[in-house]
Amino acid sequence: MKKQIILASFILAPSLQKASADTKVRGSITAKASQYSEELKEKYGQHHKAQLGQETKFTPSVNLVNQLRWEYSTLSSDITGVPPADKTDKEEFYLGENFLKYQSDSWVMQTGYQEVAWGEAFGLNYADIVNPKNMKETFYSRYSDSRIPIFMLNYKYFLENGSFQVLYSPEPKFSKMLPHEVFTKQYFGTTKITIKKEAEPGFFDENDVGAKLSQSLWGVDGSLYYFSYLDREPHYTLTSATLTSIALQEEHNRINTTGISLAKTLYDDFVLRSDLVYTQDKFINYRSGNSLLKVKSNLTNFLVSLDTPTYNKFSALFVFAVSRLDKAPDGIFREQVQNYSIAKLTYDIGDERSFDLSYTHEFNKDGHSLQGQLLWPINSSFEFSVGGEFYWGRATSSLSTFKNLSNVFFSLKNYFQIL
Amino acid sequence: MKSYCTLLLLLCLSTPTFAAKKAVKKSAAPTVVEDANEIVKKADLKRGLGNISHSFKVTITNQDEKVEVYEVSFKDVNASLTNQTEPERSRGRKLLMKDYDIWLYTPNIKKPVRISLEQKLTGEVSNGDIARTNYAEDYDAKLVSVEKVGKNEFYKLELTAKNKKVTYGRIEYLVSKKDYAPTEATFFALSGKPLKKAEFSDFKNVQGVSRSTKMVISDYLQSSKKSTLVFSDHKEEKFSDSLFNKDRLEF
């Protein structure tokens, strides 16, 4: 029903505002082809996307934004070997951001499906907690592509050098996870695993609430935030098991996250960014003998990064990140402490063309990843990119978990405006 | 033969420049040696509306003929907002400058990101070339000499950055003695390394004053690498303070 109302607004908005208001219809189409480079060498991945968006300005204060999105991805069948007839994630047509915005000089209110991005740092988006994510979007996806819009009342009041924001969502959603085989193979080998998904809550069944206070003082951007929400990532309860198969029930519990983010320009041309994010009561699964159990743990994520200025067309980004659970029984499905460092080097070829190379090192379990991309805008509306992403390391490292997602890719994106 | 052709080509190219200088209208020439900072202030008013609240459009054409269009809301020298409208794939990028802080918003990231002033906007153009153009506010000026080119006299000024936060460490600036019209500038990094050159031209009546509406910026060492900025649609306009709040960029 909600989808129908939004679709109707997409179609009717231009006629409602007649000729006097301003309507723009624009969109993009992305085609991405890849070839996997590890055990799935013979597999060719495809990930195509399209978005059609409309923005209608009724008055200088009132705007309506509608977006329709389409996605075609072969990732699930590529990774799991599911026959084409049983593919579940082959093609999807869904609503993107769809909201009504009212703004005055001192405040803004947006109501509807939208994205909200918190935090200052890049590399590992620990503070980007509000929207669920599409985990199929890998390293080179645009940040916005990986966020799944959720229905929110988003109110922001502007202070002299900052703002105070309140969020309320009566309809939490869950992240779209990678096929479970990516993670479970190392723990359960060839055992057949069946997962029963948890249904997403209906309108007003669950309520996510949060707030953020942001201030820029003495050249420092600071923000303090809190969000109480249904965990976007699942944990599992064992419902039945045989010698060759196990059945799991997916669950999401309520968690509370508090965070602080800072950004500061140093020595005029360097930019230091940091996020410290603390999450209470997150369930993590662990294996004890033949049982699958879960433990409630508190998670602390910390990240600090430094952007360098451009020198001889080269610029760099350095990141150090720590993710720590306060409880971690033997057999837990992640390390108690995960330490990462990232170094990214960008070469400005000129005319908006660039080449970047990024290396991530996971300290505790000796995991590695390397990503490279050549970005080449062809003209005002077409953008071409070619690159690769590779994951390797000790079998128990979190980065080597993604080994079979290593690939080289080719992508073409077209931006267009219809009206 | 080759060098003769080159010389001929250079002569052809330089003719319009001298013709343009000859075409500058007469105005009261300064009779006494002026304060260098006052000259720079007057020259600033020949490149924009100065420190009053206004909006304008900048069309940038790079050497490969790619065109980018920006709409600028300028509150005062310490607050400006630049909104990119073309090309289609870059639409919605915003650049906010407050004092010496600068933030970039892109629809992809959906949050304001603190960046540095030296970061390139496009081609040969730095963020500061659009967002912070009043040299009198950021540089101390010294009059080096008065140079005569043909019948016209020019102030040769040396501008030194008041602090390390500005876009350039030093600027060599040539300003017409007759009407304070800026003619050309050479920009240097804080290290002293020459970075790029700019030529100011196409003086038109904007809000009752003859002002330059075209700036050609070229790389100091590779002059073929250039970006042409055309300024238009200058309008006096009042803006709410919250327009220049970084937390408003996402709306």
Side-chain angles (χ1 to χ4, degrees), chain A residues 104-105 142-143 162 221 273, chain B residues 103 108 114 242 245 247-248:
Chain A
S104 74
D105 280 354
R142 288 161 189 263
Y143 289 96
D221 302 334
R273 308 178 203 277
Chain B
W103 294 272
N108 162 32
R114 177 177 279 268
S242 74
N245 186 320
D247 292 328
R248 187 152 207 154

Side-chain angles (χ1 to χ4, degrees), chain B residues 137-184:
Chain B
E137 295 285 336
D138 289 338
Y139 300 90
D140 280 323
K142 190 175 86 179
L143 183 61
V144 178
S145 61
V146 178
E147 293 188 351
K148 199 165 185 179
V149 179
K151 289 180 181 175
N152 299 319
E153 287 186 303
F154 296 89
Y155 291 118
K156 188 175 181 184
L157 300 143
E158 184 175 280
L159 278 55
T160 311
K162 287 179 180 174
N163 61 58
K164 290 181 178 178
K165 292 178 179 175
V166 301
T167 319
Y168 306 107
R170 187 167 70 85
I171 302 173
E172 285 179 6
Y173 198 24
L174 211 59
V175 174
S176 167
K177 190 177 174 186
K178 186 161 58 177
D179 58 3
Y180 306 103
T183 306
E184 61 181 55

Side-chain angles (χ1 to χ4, degrees), chain A residues 158-216:
Chain A
F158 299 108
L159 307 168
E160 191 180 341
N161 288 303
S163 65
F164 180 67
Q165 182 178 31
V166 179
L167 297 178
Y168 167 69
S169 173
E171 193 193 29
K173 286 181 180 289
F174 306 141
S175 291
K176 290 180 185 170
M177 306 303 290
L178 284 167
H180 67 80
E181 287 83 353
V182 172
F183 307 99
T184 53
K185 203 175 167 187
Q186 62 173 310
Y187 299 106
F188 299 101
T190 55
T191 306
K192 189 185 174 195
I193 297 170
T194 310
I195 294 178
K196 189 178 177 197
K197 297 248 178 209
E198 183 181 8
E200 287 181 330
F203 230 66
F204 297 114
D205 287 349
E206 292 279 354
N207 302 292
D208 290 352
V209 289
K212 184 176 89 158
L213 177 67
S214 168
Q215 270 290 304
S216 295

Side-chain angles (χ1 to χ4, degrees), chain A residues 244-289:
Chain A
T244 55
S245 68
I246 56 175
L248 304 174
Q249 170 65 51
E250 181 188 281
E251 291 170 356
H252 299 77
N253 69 306
R254 180 154 295 276
I255 54 177
N256 301 299
T257 295
T258 309
I260 183 166
S261 295
L262 299 167
K264 162 108 181 102
T265 307
L266 296 176
Y267 306 109
D268 305 317
D269 288 327
F270 292 86
V271 183
L272 182 78
R273 308 178 203 277
S274 183
D275 292 333
L276 174 63
V277 181
Y278 177 73
T279 301
Q280 279 181 299
D281 300 337
K282 187 174 175 70
F283 277 115
I284 308 283
N285 282 109
Y286 67 100
R287 186 177 177 175
S288 177

Side-chain angles (χ1 to χ4, degrees), chain B residues 112-127:
Chain B
V113 177
R114 177 177 279 268
I115 58 170
S116 69
L117 255 185
E118 66 83 53
Q119 220 161 311
K120 282 261 185 82
L121 185 70
T122 175
E124 301 310 307
V125 187
S126 296
N127 296 328

